[in-house]
Amino acid sequence: MKNLLDFSPEVKAALEAGRPVVALESTIISHGMPYPENLTMAQEVEGIIRSEGAVPATIAIMDGRCKVGLTEAELYRLATEKDVAKVSLRDMPIVLAKRLLGATTVATTATIAEAAGIQVFVTGGIGGVHRGNAGSPAQVWDISADLTVLGRCATTVVCAGAKSVLDIPATLEMLETLGVTVVGYGTDRFPGFYTRDAGHGVDARVDSPAEIAAVIAARAATGMPGGVLVVNPVPEADALDSAEVERHLGVALADMAREGVAGKAVTPYLLARMKEVTEGRSLAANLSLVRNNARVGAKIAVALGQQG
Ligand code: PSU
Ligand code: MN
């Protein structure tokens, strides 16, 4: 993997000097939000990370290489081009070999970040275990590779939980099986992406970046593979109402089954539908939680550096 990495000069210099670096995914840019909000979000999030004293490293696949740190022009391509591949682990060899433009999911971004020596990675929401839904067979077997990767990469992932469209208890059980440490930042509840509580608890609550850094250092000291998942709830002012989200997701799931949407198209479909039915409030929540995660992720990266 190391031979496939192309670092931006800024990220390369920061890693060599041991300065804090925060990785960012690109599926959220190409498939998670519409243009122009996606581009503004990507630039803004990089700015937040810089203002906290860390260096942002947005990750994507281009011209047969894994890019760690992107130029303005590269961010623009990801935000505007029509045919950007959504790259989960299984897709990575194909997108590399065919030299396609690829936006990396949490699974792929964390894998590349670990190879690059980046300890902290900020995203919006992680993938998980999907529920069976109307019109689909009772036994669906749609489990995101995001979970597998959390179980094997040492990268700390900061997110706002997972959407309640997933089977949250099954997702939490799977994280337990994989040995992932799940901590709530200022909360003992597992957040539901648009909402602050998906109805289940986390392993432990942590209240400061220093406390999280201590957990990360302790995990590293054990030598176990896998990482820490930091769940950081969407700010109160931008959170959506749980009952409203459930109602909208119910309708979207039924439509999705009727239209035959499945596999990797599911998450982008649901995000776009939610934006329509909430008249943009889901997008506002999404933007708010990503900014919030960027701030916390950068503070964790800085605190990790101070641990020595
Ligand atoms: N959840 C969101 N927004 C997103 C994603 C998930 O609320 O943009 C993206 C992330 O990149 C995540 C991916 O890694 O979707 C998971 O896709 P899948 O379930 O196909 O593995
Ligand atoms: Mn899937």
Side-chain angles (χ1 to χ4, degrees):
M1 169 70 87
K2 284 203 164 53
N3 295 329
L4 292 169
L5 305 180
D6 271 357
F7 292 91
S8 71
E10 184 192 17
V11 172
K12 185 166 188 284
L15 287 170
E16 279 171 3
R19 287 200 301 274
V21 176
V22 175
L24 296 159
E25 62 146 312
S26 43
T27 291
I28 190 173
I29 303 173
S30 302
H31 303 279
M33 287 179 193
Y35 177 79
E37 285 89 348
N38 58 353
L39 182 59
T40 323
M41 178 276 304
Q43 294 164 336
E44 223 183 314
V45 158
E46 292 201 347
I48 291 170
I49 289 169
R50 284 201 180 91
S51 73
E52 293 289 341
V55 170
T58 304
I59 291 177
I61 298 183
M62 292 178 182
D63 310 315
R65 308 286 298 166
C66 299
K67 298 273 184 190
V68 183
L70 302 180
T71 62
E72 284 288 316
E74 288 167 338
L75 278 184
Y76 182 82
R77 277 189 74 192
L78 283 167
T80 54
E81 279 194 26
K82 282 274 167 292
D83 290 317
V84 186
K86 174 180 164 187
V87 189
S88 189
L89 288 187
R90 60 158 182 207
D91 312 299
M92 189 161 30
I94 295 162
V95 173
L96 284 167
K98 289 182 178 279
R99 310 176 77 83
L100 303 176
L101 178 60
T104 50
T105 64
V106 169
T108 307
T109 309
T111 301
I112 295 171
E114 187 188 45
I118 301 174
Q119 287 178 280
V120 180
F121 161 28
V122 162
T123 183
I126 55 160
V129 181
H130 278 270
R131 305 182 202 164
N133 48 54
S136 75
Q139 283 281 329
V140 285
W141 201 250
D142 185 348
I143 302 174
S144 177
D146 290 0
L147 300 183
T148 337
V149 167
L150 285 165
R152 82 172 171 232
C153 285
T155 318
T156 294
V157 178
V158 183
C159 72
K163 276 187 300 300
S164 57
V165 66
L166 298 171
D167 185 331
I168 300 295
T171 300
L172 288 168
E173 290 296 342
M174 185 91 191
L175 287 166
E176 187 223 285
T177 303
L178 293 163
V180 179
T181 303
V182 181
V183 296
Y185 186 59
T187 181
D188 43 28
R189 310 298 297 166
F190 188 84
F193 192 69
Y194 298 126
T195 63
R196 293 173 57 85
D197 180 357
H200 297 268
V202 291
D203 303 336
R205 170 183 174 139
V206 285
D207 288 301
S208 69
E211 211 181 325
I212 300 173
V215 172
I216 295 167
R219 177 154 188 136
T222 66
M224 292 193 290
V228 176
L229 181 66
V230 178
V231 292
N232 183 35
V234 57
E236 198 113 46
D238 300 303
L240 302 188
D241 175 67
S242 296
E244 185 198 2
V245 170
E246 285 307 311
R247 201 170 60 240
H248 290 321
L249 285 175
V251 176
L253 283 174
D255 290 350
M256 199 173 76
R258 208 175 35 246
E259 293 171 33
V261 176
K264 68 198 291 181
V266 166
T267 301
Y269 177 93
L270 289 173
L271 289 165
R273 277 296 304 271
M274 285 299 286
K275 184 193 165 221
E276 275 168 34
V277 296
T278 63
E279 285 153 351
R281 277 177 300 124
S282 68
L283 180 57
N286 200 341
L287 292 166
S288 168
L289 65 86
V290 176
R291 289 188 205 109
N292 192 37
N293 292 345
R295 210 161 289 120
V296 171
K299 286 182 197 292
I300 296 170
V302 170
L304 273 171
Q306 285 159 354
Q307 288 230 330

